[in-house]
Amino acid sequence: MNLTLKVWRQKDAKSPGKFETYEARNISTHASFLEMLDVVNEDLISKGIEPIHFESDCREGICGTCSMVIDGLPHGGQPGTTVCQLHMRYFQEGQVVTIEPWRAKPFPVVRDLIVDRSSFDRIIQAGGYISVRTGGTPDANALPVPKQNADLAMDAAQCIGCGACVAACRNASGMLFMSAKMGHLSYLPQGQAERSRRALAMVRQHDSEGFGNCTNQYECEAACPKEISVAYIARMNRDYALASAKEMAGVE
Amino acid sequence: MATTTAPAPTTQRPGTNGANGTLDGKCPGGPIESHWDHYKAEIKLINPANKRKYQVIVVGSGLAGGSAAATLSELGYQVKCFCYQDSPRRAHSIAAQGGINAAKNYQNDGDSVYRLFYDTIKGGDFRAREANVWRLAEVSRNIIDQCVAQGVPFAREYGGLLANRSFGGAQVSRTFYARGQTGQQLLLGAYQALSAQIRAGGVKMFPHTEMLDLIVVDGHAKGIVVRDLWTGEISTHMANTVVLATGGYGNVFYLSTNARGCNVTATYRAHKRGAFFANPCYTQIHPTCIPVSGDYQSKLTLMSESLRNDGRVWAPKKQGDKRPPQQIPEDERDYYLERKYPSYGNLAPRDISSRAAKEACDDGRGIGESGLGVYLDFGDAIKRLGEPVIRERYGNLFDMYEKITGENAYQQPMRIFPAVHYTMGGLWVDYNLMSNLPGLHVIGEANFSDHGANRLGASALMQGLADGYFILPYTIGVYLSSEAGKKLPPADHPTIGTVRKEVEDRIKRLTSIKGKRTPSSFHREIGLMMWDKCGMARNRDGLQAALKRFPELREEFYQNLNVTGEGGGANAALEIAGRVEDYLEFGELMCFDALHREESCGGHFREEYQTEDGEAARDDENFAYVAAWEYKGTGQNPYLHKEMLEFKKAHLAVRNYK
């Protein structure tokens, strides 16, 4: 199949960017979207033009590296699919496809379709963990966890940290990402000791990075390649409210 | 290489560091059961106040590197950690599906440290070092405790305790898992521990940064040269010791289940600076992956081995039979695994299943457009058990298969083919996980030590975390205490500038050729050749042909490569070119090792050395050793150092699965 691509090109964070038009020729419908870009890039290099810069690594939907908005939808809009697993059979012959980076203030563009998502790392560093040293831990079976809680923790822990939730959100909110980590840890007994402290620290880091707040549009849930539920945001809000109240009362 | 014949059985160079001139693994003496306890009791400790004075560089942030960086920082060392991904959470350990082994015996089914040890040694076809494997089995139990304390959401039973499942090569259920994403959850545990240490100031993290060379000062590894993949900036970093946790070299085959960015550069550059590379020819080919669909393809996707519990593997009996599978009648199908291995059937071990699929395809009976594939058919299982049961067991895998191929495996058989998955070889290390090059530690898939010639399922995660959480944090003190009182080389030490200049010159060279061929086109050519000549089955003629081709390819590379842009800023073409440059030499080393090992063992199958019924014929008399190669210059024969393998606990036996 043949397509026309309108791709965002931007040399670095400081330079202005613009759309360039490229032709994708003789693409197999079995190829993934990123493999289609590989073919286009090989062609560009042969012509002495620098390739379209985009990030990808595992190409099996788990590392969370790939990140691009296709025709206005993060990861291309197929349910539960990262762009590395989006296949060309979903496109039409002759289609014009627009490709852009994640657009959000806390994700500055590095080059073309690559953005800097280190703000996500800093949110985790603020408190997205259980403080435990290596060694000296009790036997793994010393602490039973009800299966339904373990399953709810796992549903949230599946987050791949790609940032599609932010790209989809009109407020550029990182709350689905942040609440998934809090939900993962707060459904487990090991996560209780730091639950309040974690809620305060992560939310404050999130806000200081320039992410917006949730106004219940649920675009994030629709865009999430791991289909993480917005119910975790509600749970996070409750944790944060309780922790703030305790902090104000000087209980914690 | 200067010649393309196998080197003659080598007389050892006098004075390599063991008895009789052979390599010494420095294993503690006495009964193997108490090695590690004695070792820990006797090693020199560094007091907490002094640990702050030591700087450690960790390259890689996967299960091994991430857990090591976090743990070393907790102990008080000053750590710098580097990864090429944009975040340490994305290292390729994240893609491991199945699980992690541990000798917990929670199932009360007779598991023990000894059984995990023996299964690993036997699975590795008696080519691993006993003392390391025993220690691995021992600390496996601590790993599960640690991960649960971190909040890793392992699968649980209704009573709230941990669930287990069984995996290939074992008769007990010792595998812990988190749905089909065990690697992801374990990595996030290590990443969280690492994040806590970054926040606390003990670890300085350098993401999107690639190591391009090792700095060796007065014979000791003391630093690295790196390139920031976003800005193009080259910088040098010095430390008291360097830890490489940079994974395997499966991408030398171009197509593999590895991530796109996985590469051999860090370990190969260390090899060129003096570290021995051990057993590079040991590679694991996994039998059940989604087949290649065209030359645009960028990677291969694994389908869990568990599918073979209910799926039947077959190929058409007739050559070139292109009918859709539903139209091929039962008596024209060859269920070749059931035919050749009646007792194991579709659950024959990985290496045997992979080779059998290759045979059917070589015979012209492969399926799909490319003819490189066989069927994995659930028709009978669905008839017997009903579709809901199959959906419950394997639903997520069927969904993934459909996402990639667009085919519904409930209605037609899956197409599968073997793919490169893991590499057992790596930099040589002793019991301290230190290379022959003092100050260079190597952990995880990047070292050679624990899996011998073949790795069992659910053991890679175990080894990465064992090395990072529980072994290196002890053993690194042995080297560091021997360096007590010595200062780091000064920033203006001439070696630092020289190595940095070499890296810059290499980049200039690559960007200035401006020929006609893209870096990826060279990579693809190397990959196809390696798959053909040094893949599932190898023979003398093929390996010699490959060895002849490498120098020619290198010459073409340096004359006709086209890297667009310059060194500054993000440059995807340059990144690929630098990695391919190393594959062009490393592939040659692999073929050389494969040619020299005149036996078949584990993932290394030499067609000349097989039993009458086509099984691997091991030669313990002549090859029960680790082949550790010393770099002697590009195009020169590497020098062979041997570490003799002794089996005192697990006695040498034929690995019979019939």
Side-chain angles (χ1 to χ4, degrees):
Chain A
M1 67 195 302
N2 301 299
L3 303 162
T4 301
L5 309 180
K6 294 194 171 212
V7 187
W8 185 259
R9 302 296 303 253
Q10 183 172 346
K11 184 123 189 69
D12 51 44
K14 288 176 195 133
S15 314
K18 60 170 181 176
F19 284 103
E20 295 279 358
T21 304
Y22 303 108
E23 299 298 318
R25 296 260 162 250
N26 301 321
I27 304 297
S28 162
T29 52
H30 296 301
S32 73
F33 195 83
L34 298 185
E35 288 167 346
M36 181 273 292
L37 285 180
D38 290 340
V39 172
V40 172
N41 275 345
E42 286 289 283
D43 187 43
L44 290 178
I45 297 175
S46 305
K47 291 177 182 155
I49 302 170
E50 285 205 64
I52 301 160
H53 281 70
F54 64 92
E55 285 195 301
S56 79
D57 206 25
C58 78
R59 297 210 173 181
E60 49 187 285
I62 192 75
C63 73
T65 307
C66 59
S67 49
M68 55 186 78
V69 174
I70 299 165
D71 288 339
L73 297 170
H75 290 303
Q78 285 296 322
T81 304
T82 55
V83 67
C84 64
Q85 295 209 304
L86 176 69
H87 280 70
M88 296 313 294
R89 69 182 83 94
Y90 294 113
F91 293 82
Q92 308 292 326
E93 171 66 34
Q95 196 175 333
V96 179
V97 181
T98 307
I99 311 171
E100 300 168 79
W102 283 175
R103 294 198 191 275
K105 193 174 136 207
F107 290 164
V109 171
V110 172
R111 181 165 191 180
D112 299 345
L113 305 173
I114 303 176
V115 297
D116 180 348
R117 288 169 287 188
S118 56
S119 47
F120 267 14
D121 286 321
R122 288 189 292 275
I123 292 174
I124 300 295
Q125 286 158 20
Y129 46 80
I130 292 169
S131 298
V132 50
R133 298 177 65 83
T134 302
T137 50
D139 185 87
N141 260 351
L143 192 63
V145 180
K147 187 177 185 311
Q148 62 271 34
N149 286 7
D151 286 346
L152 286 165
M154 182 64 202
D155 288 344
Q158 293 189 83
C159 168
I160 57 175
C162 64
C165 47
V166 177
C169 178
R170 60 191 293 176
N171 307 324
S173 173
M175 288 175 84
L176 188 65
F177 164 77
M178 176 168 57
S179 70
K181 183 47 63 191
M182 275 191 226
H184 159 208
L185 298 176
S186 72
Y187 270 113
L188 296 171
Q190 305 91 302
Q192 299 311 311
E194 294 168 288
R195 187 167 172 176
S196 294
R197 197 191 69 80
R198 178 182 309 123
L200 293 174
M202 289 180 76
V203 169
R204 283 168 188 166
Q205 187 68 38
H206 169 270
D207 293 353
S208 77
E209 295 286 351
F211 291 102
N213 278 322
C214 174
T215 46
N216 294 307
Q217 309 286 307
Y218 302 162
E219 294 287 343
C220 53
E221 185 182 277
C224 176
K226 296 294 147 183
E227 301 179 314
I228 289 171
S229 162
V230 292
Y232 291 101
I233 297 183
R235 184 177 168 88
M236 173 185 74
N237 284 336
R238 180 175 161 276
D239 277 9
Y240 179 72
L242 276 173
S244 304
K246 281 189 204 164
E247 190 184 47
M248 269 191 279
V251 188
E252 200 160 290
Chain B
M1 309 274 153
T3 65
T4 52
T5 51
T10 326
T11 47
Q12 287 297 324
R13 167 191 290 192
T16 38
N17 41 16
N20 310 321
T22 53
L23 273 173
D24 179 7
K26 300 206 181 79
C27 303
I32 200 167
E33 294 86 346
S34 54
H35 272 178
W36 182 231
D37 281 338
H38 277 162
Y39 176 96
K40 284 190 291 184
E42 283 165 16
I43 52 169
K44 281 191 185 152
L45 296 179
I46 300 174
N47 93 41
N50 283 341
K51 286 202 181 90
R52 285 199 292 276
K53 296 177 188 162
Y54 290 105
Q55 303 195 30
V56 181
I57 283 172
V58 179
V59 187
S61 66
L63 287 181
S67 61
T71 305
L72 292 169
S73 168
E74 285 165 16
L75 289 170
Y77 296 109
Q78 294 179 53
V79 179
K80 281 183 177 177
C81 183
F82 298 79
C83 68
Y84 74 76
Q85 298 87 352
D86 74 328
S87 162
R89 69 177 292 147
R90 308 201 198 283
H92 196 55
S93 306
I94 206 162
Q97 299 171 357
I100 177 166
N101 286 331
K104 278 286 199 185
N105 194 27
Y106 282 163
Q107 303 301 322
N108 195 30
D109 57 0
D111 200 10
S112 63
V113 170
Y114 174 78
R115 279 193 194 276
L116 177 52
F117 158 81
Y118 187 78
D119 289 347
T120 307
I121 289 278
K122 180 185 172 195
D125 217 351
F126 297 89
R127 289 294 176 264
R129 188 193 287 150
E130 271 197 331
N132 285 51
V133 176
W134 187 277
R135 176 174 66 183
L136 175 70
E138 223 174 290
V139 304
S140 69
R141 298 171 300 185
N142 305 90
I143 296 170
I144 304 304
D145 299 344
Q146 183 64 32
C147 294
V148 166
Q150 289 171 340
V152 171
F154 282 123
R156 288 179 183 266
E157 292 164 359
Y158 279 101
L161 302 183
L162 292 162
N164 288 116
R165 59 183 169 203
S166 52
F167 242 75
Q171 288 167 316
V172 295
S173 289
R174 62 161 76 99
T175 306
F176 295 79
Y177 61 99
R179 294 191 191 152
Q181 294 117 294
T182 316
Q184 180 198 27
Q185 294 310 315
L186 296 174
L187 183 67
L188 291 180
Y191 163 73
Q192 286 167 206
L194 181 63
S195 296
Q197 292 304 308
I198 293 170
R199 179 76 165 194
V203 179
K204 187 158 170 36
M205 188 71 218
F206 296 82
H208 51 84
T209 301
E210 181 169 47
M211 170 178 158
L212 292 181
D213 217 332
L214 182 72
I215 300 174
V216 181
V217 179
D218 300 329
H220 288 238
K222 290 292 171 193
I224 58 174
V225 183
V226 299
R227 179 173 180 272
D228 183 321
L229 300 178
W230 286 359
T231 65
E233 190 195 340
I234 305 283
S235 58
T236 56
H237 299 265
M238 304 302 286
N240 297 88
T241 181
V242 175
V243 181
L244 295 187
T246 52
Y249 47 86
N251 272 354
V252 69
F253 292 93
Y254 186 70
L255 286 180
S256 78
T257 64
N258 287 5
R260 290 285 278 172
C262 295
N263 65 82
V264 77
T265 291
T267 46
Y268 190 70
R269 290 285 156 188
H271 172 62
K272 291 183 85 165
R273 296 283 173 196
F276 299 163
F277 214 109
N279 302 333
C281 78
Y282 292 163
T283 48
Q284 180 166 75
I285 316 278
H286 199 292
T288 52
C289 300
I290 300 176
V292 177
S293 56
D295 9 318
Y296 55 81
Q297 188 144 356
S298 59
K299 82 153 274 160
L300 297 171
T301 305
L302 182 75
M303 299 300 292
S304 173
E305 191 170 63
S306 62
L307 290 168
R308 287 195 281 145
N309 279 296
D310 285 306
R312 297 177 72 195
V313 179
W314 63 274
K317 281 187 180 163
K318 214 162 66 189
Q319 290 178 337
D321 191 340
K322 291 292 171 200
R323 286 175 292 175
Q326 298 89 330
Q327 289 173 21
I328 300 180
E330 198 61 28
D331 62 352
E332 291 181 40
R333 300 175 175 192
D334 176 18
Y335 293 90
Y336 57 83
L337 286 178
E338 297 170 21
R339 172 173 58 82
K340 291 173 70 168
Y341 307 100
S343 58
Y344 268 74
N346 294 297
L347 280 173
R350 280 183 186 179
D351 43 356
I352 289 172
S353 311
S354 292
R355 279 202 303 276
K358 180 181 189 293
E359 262 171 44
C361 297
D362 288 350
D363 191 29
R365 298 185 292 119
I367 53 99
E369 277 175 46
S370 63
L372 293 174
V374 295
Y375 290 119
L376 178 60
D377 197 335
F378 292 86
D380 284 354
I382 289 172
K383 251 182 248 157
R384 191 174 70 244
L385 303 163
E387 193 176 312
V389 175
I390 296 298
R391 192 178 294 277
E392 193 190 312
R393 285 186 190 166
Y394 310 111
N396 60 331
L397 295 165
F398 278 56
D399 289 349
M400 179 159 84
Y401 181 79
E402 183 165 3
K403 207 173 270 179
I404 292 172
T405 62
E407 294 168 6
N408 182 338
Y410 297 105
Q411 287 162 10
Q412 64 187 88
M414 282 186 184
R415 294 173 295 112
I416 54 159
F417 197 65
V420 173
H421 183 52
Y422 186 88
T423 55
M424 283 73 69
L427 290 180
W428 184 87
V429 290
D430 61 17
Y431 191 72
N432 293 325
L433 302 182
M434 189 165 86
S435 143
N436 62 296
L437 194 59
L440 181 70
H441 293 85
V442 191
I443 58 177
E445 190 181 351
N447 76 25
F448 88 102
S449 69
D450 296 352
H451 305 298
N454 176 55
R455 179 178 66 74
L456 288 184
S459 284
L461 305 184
M462 170 173 70
Q463 187 223 338
L465 289 180
D467 286 1
Y469 282 134
F470 296 107
I471 301 174
L472 183 76
Y474 285 94
T475 62
I476 202 168
V478 174
Y479 173 75
L480 289 175
S481 60
S482 76
E483 289 283 285
K486 289 187 197 161
K487 289 216 165 71
L488 284 185
D492 60 352
H493 192 286
T495 307
I496 302 173
T498 310
V499 179
R500 184 195 169 110
K501 175 97 186 4
E502 285 173 22
V503 168
E504 288 166 347
D505 289 349
R506 223 161 52 225
I507 291 173
K508 259 184 227 141
R509 184 180 184 190
L510 294 176
T511 52
S512 62
I513 301 167
K514 304 286 184 219
K516 296 258 180 269
R517 280 187 70 176
T518 64
S520 296
S521 77
F522 283 100
H523 193 182
R524 213 174 282 126
E525 186 174 346
I526 300 168
L528 281 172
M529 180 169 72
M530 290 301 287
W531 178 248
D532 190 34
K533 311 292 188 203
C534 198
M536 274 185 280
R538 298 118 188 228
N539 62 52
R540 188 171 294 110
D541 291 346
L543 290 165
Q544 282 175 344
L547 285 169
K548 191 158 163 286
R549 181 76 184 122
F550 272 108
E552 297 165 4
L553 257 180
R554 278 198 295 271
E555 202 182 317
E556 193 190 344
F557 181 80
Y558 290 116
Q559 280 173 4
N560 201 20
L561 174 73
N562 184 11
V563 173
T564 46
E566 304 305 322
N571 186 334
L574 174 63
E575 286 166 30
I576 299 171
R579 295 165 190 169
V580 172
E581 187 181 22
D582 291 326
Y583 290 135
L584 279 168
E585 295 183 16
F586 177 74
E588 196 174 31
L589 179 66
M590 271 177 79
C591 292
F592 200 76
D593 184 40
L595 183 61
H596 122 280
R597 190 165 283 278
E598 295 180 327
E599 64 164 349
S600 293
C601 58
H604 171 65
F605 188 80
R606 279 283 299 265
E607 287 167 352
E608 303 94 323
Y609 308 101
Q610 50 181 309
T611 61
E612 277 175 16
D613 46 0
E615 303 304 324
R618 222 173 59 212
D619 178 356
D620 291 330
E621 199 167 322
N622 294 305
F623 288 96
Y625 62 79
V626 176
W629 299 98
E630 180 183 354
Y631 178 75
K632 287 291 184 190
T634 304
Q636 303 297 312
N637 285 353
Y639 188 90
L640 174 65
H641 297 265
K642 294 179 182 176
E643 180 195 340
M644 304 313 292
L645 292 169
E646 284 182 78
F647 294 91
K648 292 177 178 163
K649 191 81 186 171
H651 296 290
L652 278 168
V654 175
R655 182 172 159 250
N656 187 356
Y657 287 101
K658 280 213 161 187

